[in-house]
Amino acid sequence: MKHLIAPSILAADFGNLQRDLEMVNHSVADWFHVDIMDGVFVPNISFGFPVLAAVNRYAKKPLDIHLMIVDPDRYIKQFTDAGAANISVHYEACTHLHRTVQHIKELGCKAGVAVNPHTPIAHLSDIIEDVDLVCLMSVNPGFGGQKFIESTYRRIKELRFLAQERNPSLLIEIDGGVNHHNALSLVEAGADVLVAGNTVFSAKDQEEAIRLLKNLSPFTKLV
Ligand code: DX5
Ligand code: ZN
């Protein structure tokens, strides 16, 4: 399978949100990555349901919702009603992760678990068969535009090894600090989905930035 690209709208221009959403619609991107932050699980607040409704109105590609919130169970139904295709909850925020994952799937969404950079991959061992996606954080969650953490490469390989027998179709998503220099190495290490915020939305030619992430070659690094 060719890897997928999920531009993170956290880095979009919210004064021109419709324009930026149309740009992604028109591009070779696969998903919209939507970061929800509550100011408790992470030290930042992003946006909530009114903005999500606007995103859902214009977005023509699946919404990949990344919940950086405590007690996500309280809101799963609202996010599925708001148009989510995938919902990822944080391992560190869920006391009853298995129940939360089942709940997401019962509501017709793909279920993901996101893990902070310090959380051992081995802790996913007893949930790996139940999820469609693991979102490996390659920065500490909370902000866009942070520096990529290099241990991510090793973590991708560990996760791929863990999943190879028990969930071979698991999607490994990398979130944070993805750019034109590390994208090819991430895919070579086993990543299936690359989230990119600033690399896309700070680019002069945003559609071209997405195209370069999608059609990776050794020359991409020279951008
Ligand atoms: C970080 C978010 C990321 C962020 C990525 O907490 O989960 O999705 O928007 O932004 P960049 O690609 O700029 O690091
Ligand atoms: Zn995210």
Side-chain angles (χ1 to χ4, degrees):
M1 184 195 88
K2 194 167 167 65
H3 66 283
L4 307 179
I5 305 300
S8 170
I9 59 156
L10 186 66
D13 175 355
F14 283 84
N16 290 289
L17 188 55
Q18 183 182 356
R19 181 200 65 192
D20 285 4
L21 295 168
E22 301 286 9
M23 180 281 293
V24 176
N25 285 338
H26 194 256
S27 76
V28 295
D30 300 278
W31 296 347
F32 285 88
H33 185 80
V34 182
D35 288 311
I36 306 291
M37 304 178 180
D38 66 354
V40 180
F41 180 69
V42 287
N44 193 14
I45 296 175
S46 57
F47 50 81
F49 292 108
V51 173
L52 187 55
V55 172
N56 193 34
R57 192 173 325 133
Y58 297 108
K60 295 202 178 83
K61 296 178 180 185
L63 302 185
D64 175 47
I65 308 239
H66 176 194
L67 295 183
M68 286 161 274
I69 64 176
V70 296
D71 204 3
D73 302 75
R74 289 172 60 194
Y75 298 102
I76 300 292
K77 175 80 171 66
Q78 261 177 284
F79 281 107
T80 57
D81 291 346
N86 316 329
I87 298 182
S88 294
V89 293
H90 263 266
Y91 173 86
E92 303 82 6
C94 295
T95 312
H96 302 289
L97 181 59
H98 184 271
R99 178 183 290 152
T100 307
V101 163
Q102 301 311 324
H103 188 194
I104 294 170
K105 294 206 286 197
E106 278 160 22
L107 290 170
C109 285
K110 287 206 181 340
V113 60
V115 283
N116 284 341
H118 75 278
T119 298
I121 296 299
H123 286 193
L124 297 173
S125 169
D126 291 304
I127 198 72
I128 199 97
E129 289 158 71
D130 299 290
V131 292
D132 301 290
L133 177 155
V134 170
C135 176
L136 277 186
M137 293 309 301
S138 39
V139 296
N140 288 293
F143 302 94
Q146 300 184 83
K147 190 172 176 290
F148 177 81
I149 298 173
E150 295 289 324
S151 59
T152 305
Y153 297 113
R154 175 180 50 72
R155 291 165 60 75
I156 296 172
K157 288 182 191 149
E158 252 184 78
L159 179 56
R160 191 49 83 204
F161 184 74
L162 185 70
Q164 75 187 5
E165 302 241 304
R166 288 154 62 196
N167 187 353
S169 58
L170 178 81
L171 294 178
I172 300 180
E173 177 177 62
I174 307 303
D175 188 10
V178 172
N179 57 40
H180 293 122
H181 300 271
N182 55 25
L184 178 61
S185 309
L186 288 166
V187 170
E188 283 173 349
D192 301 297
V193 186
L194 301 178
V195 173
N198 280 271
T199 293
V200 168
F201 289 100
S202 304
K204 259 206 203 110
D205 185 340
Q206 301 176 340
E207 270 194 62
E208 174 67 2
I210 294 172
R211 198 189 61 75
L212 285 168
L213 289 171
K214 183 78 180 175
N215 300 324
L216 291 168
S217 86
F219 299 110
T220 311
K221 293 188 187 194
L222 304 175
V223 173

